[in-house]
Amino acid sequence: MSETTFAYAQPSALTTGAEGQALQLAAYAENAHISGAACFFRGQLRDSWLTARGLTTLAKVVASRFVSQAAVLRDPIVTAGAGQLRFEAFSSCNGVYARLDLGPTALDGEFVQSGTTNVDFNEPMVNALSRIGRTEPVRLSVGQQEVILERAAGHVTERKVTLPERWVKGLTAAQGYLAQMDEKLRLTRTQAAQLLHALPAGTIKTDMYMLLRGPRVVFAPMGGPSSVLVGGAHRLRLLDGLLPLSQGARVYATPDDQASAIVLDLGGGHEFLLALSAGVNRGFSGEGTQLGAMLDELPAEWLAGANNLFRGNEVFNPTLFGLEHDLAPATVERLCASLSAMGLLGFDLSTNQYFYRRLPFKTDRILRLNPRLKSARTLLDTADDVQLMSLGSGGRTEARVRGTGVWHTVLVGGAEPPRCTCQWYSSHQGERGVCKHVLAAQLRFEAKQAA
């Protein structure tokens, strides 16, 4: 498993001063030579108790794991800018994505600059959040970036943690699914508060449908037109501390039932999102639904230029961006997929818009975090490994692609989804992105069409 090492100058802490308590979230410096302080936001929380409840739930998500072999991690991501803060995290098994959004009405302070960082959520931090009182004033400071090195003339202190790159892959997949979702159910304050009462006890091993029967929310093995398929519905219990506080909830799902999400309106500019993968044993980092849009490489300077245009939390509207820069829709789709593959795009269901994260700009992540795409391009290095055999009706093309000790038959082109005879396609039927053989055949087919 590939990992990126992050260094912290100090652990996050809740400190007490003359103006009250201040919540200081320690930020990373991805390169050890970076020093100095870069503050993104400093100010006071208008409802510190409610914010603390949201952050405590986020910490609970991070500490949870629904697959036994998953390692426990505690490093949520925070993006500051455009007048708001977004805290994002995954469960340790990567099958649950959570986000706490603090809008302008939740904050009273100054945005010094925009940016995205990783936050150290240690045990003292979680314990301190749980002790914040209902009317307790708390100031928030995000962004301290320092590395201290110990030498004869002085000392340097840093706290290192590791961040698996599967979190970047998870961000890519999660926003891809969120962008496809439609609102299915809208729950009142009472319905939201009673949501977990309808769940069967214990671990739910079969998929359940969430639906409304009259005024009641129920979970049933069979669904209906407005129901939402929820894999591992017991994962919704992560929200037990927030559901009684919410003013209402909206429930979303993708058209193909590959992911679902619930958004809680907590009031006062606080919103909490919980997204679930299709099954307990299925992490967001294992998806590849946007691989097809990344077949053709965009020039690195195009990606860098787009990255330089946007600040943290700024809205990214693909249609307007394409019109403003005279880009074809297909090119805009490839641009979105590439930026997303670096973890730079998120999606806000409430506004139905993409937002930007200021993660380190690393184009090599596109291939490194998408091994199927890398393997497909490797297959093309040998001319005979990908052979276009015949052109069928409706633009359908048959290809033979070399596998491990066997040749696979691939169908690409036309209006129908691509097909392959490999084990990956047989197991997932295209629900987790196309296989490397389909990608290679599509690349060969497109190259022939362009010739």
Side-chain angles (χ1 to χ4, degrees):
M1 180 175 62
S2 177
E3 294 183 338
T4 300
T5 298
F6 292 83
Y8 292 84
Q10 60 191 40
S12 298
L14 187 69
T15 61
T16 302
E19 298 181 358
Q21 292 189 305
L23 181 62
Q24 296 185 336
L25 302 176
Y28 75 83
E30 186 168 11
N31 300 307
H33 67 273
I34 297 176
S35 63
C39 183
F40 298 150
F41 170 83
R42 57 189 175 209
Q44 186 164 319
L45 301 171
R46 294 186 186 274
D47 189 337
S48 58
W49 183 83
L50 186 58
T51 301
R53 301 287 74 74
L55 291 173
T56 299
T57 301
L58 197 75
K60 183 164 64 172
V61 170
V62 175
S64 66
R65 48 181 174 178
F66 299 94
V67 178
S68 58
Q69 66 267 29
V72 175
L73 305 169
R74 292 185 180 276
D75 296 296
I77 299 165
V78 56
T79 299
Q84 58 187 319
L85 296 173
R86 299 184 193 268
F87 294 82
E88 302 175 89
F90 288 94
S91 61
S92 293
C93 57
N94 217 232
V96 180
Y97 165 75
R99 191 176 76 233
L100 173 66
D101 291 346
L102 303 181
T105 56
L107 304 166
D108 183 12
E110 175 187 13
F111 283 87
V112 180
Q113 58 181 305
S114 67
T116 303
T117 188
N118 252 71
V119 180
D120 176 25
F121 256 32
N122 45 57
E123 287 296 338
M125 165 64 69
V126 176
N127 292 336
L129 289 170
S130 67
R131 293 195 298 267
I132 291 177
R134 283 187 175 270
T135 59
E136 187 175 344
V138 176
R139 291 180 59 82
L140 176 67
S141 176
V142 178
Q144 295 177 3
Q145 293 193 24
E146 295 180 354
V147 176
I148 304 171
L149 176 66
E150 189 170 3
R151 301 176 58 202
H155 68 275
V156 174
T157 303
E158 70 174 17
R159 182 174 183 268
K160 294 183 178 179
V161 298
T162 55
L163 177 68
E165 288 190 332
R166 64 189 174 97
W167 277 38
V168 179
K169 295 175 67 176
L171 290 173
T172 300
Q175 72 84 16
Y177 281 129
L178 290 172
Q180 299 174 35
M181 288 186 181
D182 298 314
E183 183 179 323
K184 293 290 188 178
L185 299 170
R186 187 164 289 223
L187 309 182
T188 65
R189 179 195 298 247
T190 301
Q191 289 169 332
Q194 297 175 348
L195 176 66
L196 298 184
H197 297 169
L199 276 177
T203 299
I204 304 171
K205 297 184 178 180
T206 59
D207 292 342
M208 303 291 288
Y209 287 88
M210 183 195 304
L211 63 154
L212 288 175
R213 286 181 179 164
R216 296 174 54 243
V217 179
V218 299
F219 290 88
M222 300 293 291
S226 298
S227 62
V228 175
L229 180 62
V230 182
H234 55 282
R235 295 179 290 178
L236 290 171
R237 294 195 183 102
L238 291 166
L239 296 174
D240 60 354
L242 288 183
L243 286 168
L245 307 177
S246 68
Q247 298 184 0
R250 304 183 306 279
V251 185
Y252 297 80
T254 59
D256 56 4
D257 293 325
Q258 294 305 299
S260 58
I262 181 168
V263 178
L264 305 183
D265 177 9
L266 301 175
H270 298 71
E271 189 173 85
F272 196 94
L273 176 146
L274 191 82
L276 305 178
S277 62
V280 171
N281 295 319
R282 182 169 166 181
F284 281 111
S285 60
E287 309 299 272
T289 55
Q290 298 189 70
L291 288 172
M294 293 188 289
L295 284 175
D296 296 327
E297 288 185 272
L298 287 174
E301 56 269 22
W302 286 29
L303 299 176
N307 181 63
N308 291 333
L309 289 175
F310 293 95
R311 299 179 180 273
N313 284 332
E314 189 172 355
V315 170
F316 178 86
N317 186 309
T319 302
L320 291 179
F321 186 84
L323 291 173
E324 291 171 357
H325 296 85
D326 195 24
L327 298 176
T331 301
V332 175
E333 182 182 7
R334 288 155 55 198
L335 178 65
C336 287
S338 298
L339 293 174
S340 175
M342 291 184 281
L344 303 179
L345 290 185
F347 194 83
D348 189 333
L349 284 170
S350 297
T351 62
N352 200 37
Q353 297 276 13
Y354 291 97
F355 65 88
Y356 214 79
R357 298 186 193 92
R358 297 301 306 177
L359 290 178
F361 183 77
K362 294 186 175 182
T363 56
D364 65 324
R365 282 179 173 161
I366 296 175
L367 282 182
R368 191 171 75 246
L369 302 184
N370 292 279
R372 274 178 271 166
L373 182 59
K374 184 177 181 179
S375 297
R377 290 180 176 166
T378 300
L379 283 169
L380 295 176
D381 291 341
T382 303
D384 293 337
D385 283 356
V386 183
Q387 304 171 8
L388 299 181
M389 305 301 293
S390 62
L391 180 63
S393 60
R396 201 72 161 158
T397 297
E398 180 180 330
R400 294 178 72 240
V401 181
R402 188 187 299 275
T404 304
V406 66
W407 285 89
H408 297 293
T409 300
V410 176
L411 294 175
V412 296
E416 296 295 319
R419 301 178 65 87
C420 183
T421 57
C422 72
Q423 184 60 46
W424 176 268
Y425 182 85
S426 298
S427 299
H428 304 295
Q429 298 291 313
E431 289 182 349
R432 304 187 71 173
V434 294
C435 63
K436 64 180 179 181
H437 312 106
V438 167
L439 291 171
Q442 287 177 327
L443 283 168
R444 181 75 79 200
F445 175 72
E446 291 178 5
K448 184 177 180 180
Q449 293 291 101

